[in-house]
Amino acid sequence: MQSYGSTIVVVPRRYRSYLEEELGLVETVYNNINDIIIVRKPNRKYYIPIPYLEKIKTMKPENIIIMDYIKPRHIINLYRELHTNIIDRVQLILQIFANHAGSREAQLQIELARIQHELPLIREMIRASKMHELPGFLGSGEYAVDKYYRYAKKRAAKIRRELDKIRKIRAHRRDKRLSRGYPHVALVGYTSAGKTTLFNRITGEAKKTGSEPFTTLSPKISAIKYKEIKIAFIDTVGFIRDLPVEVIEAFYATLEEAIYSDIIINVVDISRGVERAEYEILESLGILSEIGVHGKPVITALNKIDLIPENNINKIIEALKNRIELEYIIPISAEKGININKLMETIYNILNPISKINIYNKHR
Ligand SMILES: Nc1nc2c(ncn2[C@@H]2O[C@H](COP(=O)(O)OP(=O)(O)OP(=O)(O)O)[C@@H](O)[C@H]2O)c(=O)[nH]1
Ligand SMILES: [Mg+2]
């Protein structure tokens, strides 16, 4: 965990019921939250309503995190009043991504998303400094900002080219895998649902897991043999509520692997209640259909049942079944290894006819 000094978090009212989740995102980067402000009606000029703004001035925080989409002019106006770091929800999410990015691809995607998010702000800065509204904003004169703007655009184009190359290589590897004929199972779901824990449990890998959001930032693949079938498992990047558009593009690319898989396992943390699980299941299915996954078998793995009293598990599953229609539901504990065999058998039974076609047609 990192600390960047005193921090005030500003949350729009619509996130009030998810306050804990939103603060969880903030706390992965800023662990020194001094105050939380809930905004009912954003101010047109500053986003933050004037009475709060006056209060913040006396507190002199080092960071103000605004968990909403804010306009470049809000950032500029706030900076002029407060002279402190103003970070919006997108920037925060990109910071979390950056802190976790291991692969070259993930790093490039984040840099690209950052540039795309910054460009409108830089344009607004250029406009404001040309109107002499912003002498020496962030210590840079008009010329420096102009120069940075041109650099950023060039850099973005270069990153796009490099990402294209990386994706082609991955697509090539994927084609090879597919032509060898073994089936693929993709693990998808919300961040911290336990996808990597399940992936490790099934494949014997030791990939990093953790309670903070976005522990996994690029797809991981590992194949095992189950009975006579070789099966490749793919661990993917987790979803979060209201994933910003700037991040979606980068994020969807890593989900490409799911499009080409034979089965999807939607991993859901069931320990936080039926309502939340339902929301996350539906959101995940929505994202999958947006990226073009249609008509594939989806296994819903209700994870972390070790955290639920045993006599409650069936009740919870029934409640969930009454709310949504799901093809395969399997309660599991990835961490404690509960019901993993059942999950594997289900995968096997779905794959068996598919793998037979692949194996017998391609190799005999
Ligand atoms: N009690 C309990 N905890 C679990 C279980 N599975 C995972 N966890 C914990 O949940 C947290 C998140 O697990 P991960 O496997 O990293 O989750 P993920 O879905 O890969 O998360 P991202 O990579 O961030 O999308 C970790 O602290 C795990 O130890 C489980 O079955 N029971
Ligand atoms: Mg993970």
Side-chain angles (χ1 to χ4, degrees), residues 187 194-195 197-204 224 226 233 265 267 299 301-305 330-348:
L187 305 172
K195 299 176 294 298
T197 309
L198 182 59
F199 176 83
N200 289 345
R201 164 80 52 192
I202 293 173
T203 62
I224 57 148
Y226 185 75
F233 283 85
I265 302 183
V267 184
I299 300 174
L302 303 178
N303 191 30
K304 309 197 187 180
I305 54 162
I330 304 175
I332 62 161
S333 167
E335 196 156 277
K336 302 273 185 292
I338 303 168
N339 265 355
I340 305 299
N341 283 344
K342 195 168 168 199
L343 178 66
M344 289 307 296
E345 270 306 292
T346 309
I347 295 171
Y348 179 78

Side-chain angles (χ1 to χ4, degrees), residues 83-99:
H83 291 277
T84 190
N85 289 325
I86 315 288
I87 295 134
D88 66 9
R89 191 170 184 269
V90 175
Q91 279 173 298
L92 175 76
I93 288 172
L94 291 172
Q95 263 175 10
I96 302 173
F97 267 54
N99 289 350

Side-chain angles (χ1 to χ4, degrees), residues 190-198 208-216 235-238 303-307 332-336:
Y190 262 65
T191 186
S192 299
K195 299 176 294 298
T196 306
T197 309
L198 182 59
K208 189 169 175 252
T209 63
S211 57
E212 68 285 359
F214 303 123
T215 309
T216 307
D235 187 14
T236 62
V237 181
N303 191 30
K304 309 197 187 180
I305 54 162
D306 57 292
L307 297 177
I332 62 161
S333 167
E335 196 156 277
K336 302 273 185 292

